[in-house]
């Protein structure tokens, strides 16, 4: 029962999907398609009394061709006061969540720098993390506590950017966040410097890695920083840092013990932690949690379940898994969002397999079938926005597809292939991916065309149809009805269970009893008995 609750928790954001007015992605505008974002510098003052921010963002870009127009996304909840392009003031229009810069003289192809000065009261989240915005709160001791969630809305929630999954700042981000001096800012990358000035303090955070827009956020609170060194699977040393509220400091070491076990397990299946030049970070937040590169939001309030007889935090495991699936491997279009959530959720099941055993893993997927809605395909069409792509099946059915793929390929091929994909330069960091990339890769590793299987699970709502026809008193023909490639299937008769290759022509089974097809549920299927 506890494992059931665990899996429900892991897919909680899919279960509670609700309509959002804020989203990102969709059809890329031509004016932005010629723009390659290289770096963001975000410098903001945070005013807790006014619940406001003010400052500037500098956007370094490379233009593929000359242009008279520059477009950047920023929610209308803020106000823009000035725009500089290569240090020269330019006229602009700010409406419909867009900053349109109309240049007096064409900007040539090549490098350019755009600086936007702005401020105001950012959008406030109503129900974080299921909708996005700023969260202004206080801890139980009365200290100010602030967080941001932006996965759906994207970075435009609070800084001007090209807010599309197909482009990330290849040279990283610098953040200069100024807060009251008794508070601490937690951000992505490495803390460079803290500068005190009067009753304020400015925290300079820097990442040199490419990073998705919704991970470019910061958290503020009365934090203590608990640190320990971690040796990765490849022998590199990287700090684990937990930005924990001071009131919960006594819980930090045990939590890091649990976290370290999670890191080891993820590395076993997915390879070395992706950001070894920076840190492994988690920060306590007033919302439940969210994946943010090198600084994952944690708000599960130290509630643990038992896996393998030891404490386990499933939510933390899931969000941390996005360091590989979402951050290192990143979909270029939200249409392929299952790559983030489905494979990450499959990774959660691998923890159960690792510490509770294969039978527990199989039982987990047997039960997950009943949560697959199958109302729409999980890969629908290109140029989707985040809101349209964000359906529950990208978690549950996406994970189940990986479960099926494992069975079809066999462990000796599947697990090395999975690690090879997530550690390949071709599919990681600056190189964004789509479903075709995943399909072609596993087809190559399998040595036969897996497109029919990918199509069935990801591009349709059909189930695998398996036909069982009795032809004599103790003879049956088992065949596949709606897929063109042969697949292995476990068939159970009175004499036991055998794994057999079945195709649309069918195979003959001799049995005194009706054969049981795929008893352990490796397929999302419909068995037709005649």
């Amino acid at each position: 029962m506890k494992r059931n609750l665990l899996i429900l928790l892991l897919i909680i954001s899919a279960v509670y999907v609700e309509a959002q007015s804020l989203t990102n992605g969709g059809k890329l505008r031509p004016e932005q398609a010629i723009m390659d974002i290289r770096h963001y510098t975000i410098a903001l003052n945070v005013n807790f009394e006014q619940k406001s921010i003010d400052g500037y963002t500098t956007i370094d870009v490379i233009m593929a061709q000359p242009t008279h127009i520059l477009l950047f996304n920023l929610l209308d909840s803020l106000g823009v006061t000035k725009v500089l392009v290569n240090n020269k003031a330019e006229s602009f229009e700010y409406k419909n969540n867009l900053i349109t810069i109309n240049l007096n003289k064409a900007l040539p192809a090549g490098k350019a720098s755009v600086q936007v000065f702005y401020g105001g009261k950012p959008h406030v989240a109503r129900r974080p993390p299921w909708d996005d915005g700023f969260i202004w709160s206080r801890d139980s001791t009365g200290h100010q506590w602030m967080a941001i969630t932006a996965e759906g809305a994207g970075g435009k929630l609070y800084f001007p950017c090209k807010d599309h999954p197909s482009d990330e700042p290849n040279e990283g981000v610098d953040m200069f966040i100024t807060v009251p001096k008794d508070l601490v800012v937690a951000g992505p990358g490495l803390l460079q410097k803290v500068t005190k000035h009067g009753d304020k303090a400015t925290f300079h955070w820097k990442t040199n890695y490419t990073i998705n827009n919704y991970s470019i956020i910061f958290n503020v609170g009365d934090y203590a920083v608990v640190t320990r060194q971690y040796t990765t699977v490849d022998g590199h040393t990287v700090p684990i840092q937990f930005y924990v509220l001071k009131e919960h400091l006594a819980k930090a070491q045990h939590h890091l013990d649990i976290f370290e076990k999670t890191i080891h397990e993820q590395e076993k299946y997915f390879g070395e932690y992706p950001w070894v030049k920076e840190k492994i970070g988690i920060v306590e937040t007033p919302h439940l949690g969210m994946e943010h590169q090198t600084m994952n939001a944690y708000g599960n309030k130290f509630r643990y379940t038992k896996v393998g007889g030891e404490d386990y935090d499933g939510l933390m495991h899931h969000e941390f898994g996005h360091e590989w699936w979402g951050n290192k491997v990143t979909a270029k279009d939200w249409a392929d969002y299952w790559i983030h959530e489905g494979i990450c959720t499959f990774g959660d099941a691998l923890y159960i397999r690792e510490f509770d055993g294969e039978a527990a893993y199989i039982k987990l997927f047997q039960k997950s079938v009943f949560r697959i809605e199958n109302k729409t395909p999980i890969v629908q069409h290109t140029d989707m926005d985040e809101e349209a792509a964000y359906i529950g099946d990208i978690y549950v059915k996406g994970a189940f597809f990986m479960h099926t793929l494992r069975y079809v390929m066999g462990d000796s091929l599947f697990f090395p292939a999975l690690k090879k994909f997530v550690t390949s330069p071709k599919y990681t960091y600056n190189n964004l991916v789509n479903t075709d990339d995943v399909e072609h890769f596993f087809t190559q590793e399998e040595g036969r065309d897996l497109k029919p299987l990918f199509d069935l699970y990801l591009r349709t709502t059909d189930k695998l149809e398996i036909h069982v026809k009795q032809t004599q008193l103790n003879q049956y023909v088992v065949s596949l009805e709606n897929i063109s490639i042969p697949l292995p299937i476990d068939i159970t008769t009175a004499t036991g269970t055998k794994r057999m290759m079945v195709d649309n022509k069918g195979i003959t089974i001799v049995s005194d009893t009706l054969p049981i097809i795929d008893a352990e549920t490796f397929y999302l299927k419909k068995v037709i008995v005649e």
Side-chain angles (χ1 to χ4, degrees), residues 257-267 312-313 316-317 320 324 351:
D257 291 341
I258 298 167
F259 188 31
E260 194 163 349
K261 190 173 180 181
T262 276
I263 301 167
H264 278 298
E265 183 270 337
Q266 300 261 23
E267 284 194 317
Y312 170 63
D313 194 313
M316 180 175 66
H317 184 279
F320 183 67
W324 287 267
Y351 189 97

Side-chain angles (χ1 to χ4, degrees), residues 481-500:
E481 294 292 299
N482 61 341
I483 195 166
S484 60
I485 59 172
L487 295 173
I489 296 179
D490 285 357
I491 301 176
T492 303
T493 66
T495 60
T497 300
K498 292 183 179 180
R499 187 164 300 182
M500 305 179 186

Side-chain angles (χ1 to χ4, degrees), residues 139 145 184 186 221-227 241-253 255-256 282-285 295 298 302:
D139 63 26
W145 195 14
V184 174
D222 183 33
Y223 293 126
V225 185
V226 181
T227 301
Q241 296 181 349
F242 185 13
Y243 279 69
V244 60
L245 290 179
K246 289 178 182 177
E247 62 182 281
H248 296 147
L249 184 58
K251 301 179 180 181
Q253 290 297 343
H255 192 73
L256 287 182
I282 49 175
V283 56
E284 195 173 355
T285 56
M295 188 62 88
Y298 175 77
F302 309 96

Side-chain angles (χ1 to χ4, degrees), residues 199-387:
D199 61 350
K200 303 289 184 181
T202 299
F203 289 73
H204 176 196
W205 283 93
K206 182 181 183 66
T207 176
N208 291 308
Y209 287 107
T210 185
I211 184 170
N212 57 55
N213 278 358
Y214 65 80
S215 285
I216 305 172
I217 61 93
F218 59 92
N219 301 272
V220 184
D222 183 33
Y223 293 126
V225 185
V226 181
T227 301
R228 65 172 65 173
Q229 296 300 310
Y230 176 79
T231 301
T232 71
V233 69
D234 290 347
H236 295 106
T237 301
V238 58
I240 304 175
Q241 296 181 349
F242 185 13
Y243 279 69
V244 60
L245 290 179
K246 289 178 182 177
E247 62 182 281
H248 296 147
L249 184 58
K251 301 179 180 181
Q253 290 297 343
H254 179 59
H255 192 73
L256 287 182
D257 291 341
I258 298 167
F259 188 31
E260 194 163 349
K261 190 173 180 181
T262 276
I263 301 167
H264 278 298
E265 183 270 337
Q266 300 261 23
E267 284 194 317
K268 174 181 176 178
Y269 289 102
F270 305 144
E272 186 177 46
Y273 174 71
W275 322 104
V276 293
K277 295 179 182 179
E278 296 184 346
K279 70 177 184 304
I280 300 169
I282 49 175
V283 56
E284 195 173 355
T285 56
H287 63 85
L288 189 58
M290 184 62 67
E291 69 266 22
H292 296 132
Q293 188 169 304
T294 74
M295 188 62 88
N296 283 277
Y298 175 77
N300 202 27
K301 299 180 180 179
F302 309 96
R303 294 174 293 200
Y304 307 128
T305 57
K306 295 289 184 182
V307 175
E310 296 186 3
D311 284 346
Y312 170 63
D313 194 313
L315 185 64
M316 180 175 66
H317 184 279
H318 180 81
E319 303 303 349
F320 183 67
H322 283 299
E323 295 286 28
W324 287 267
W325 303 104
N327 296 342
K328 185 182 183 184
V329 174
T330 306
K332 68 181 70 173
D333 189 313
W334 288 129
D336 306 292
Y337 202 28
W338 77 273
I339 298 171
H340 295 196
E341 297 295 359
I343 305 180
C344 188
T345 302
F346 176 72
D348 301 332
L350 292 180
Y351 189 97
I352 305 301
R353 176 179 183 262
E354 188 74 13
F355 296 108
D356 258 352
E358 187 74 21
Y361 161 92
I362 289 173
K363 188 174 182 180
L364 183 156
F365 277 108
Q366 287 175 325
K367 293 183 176 181
S368 75
V369 168
F370 301 105
R371 298 196 299 273
I372 296 174
E373 295 185 346
N374 237 10
K375 293 180 178 177
T376 59
I378 57 179
V379 178
Q380 299 176 51
H381 55 79
T382 59
D383 299 324
M384 291 185 70
D385 63 33
E386 194 271 350
E387 182 181 348

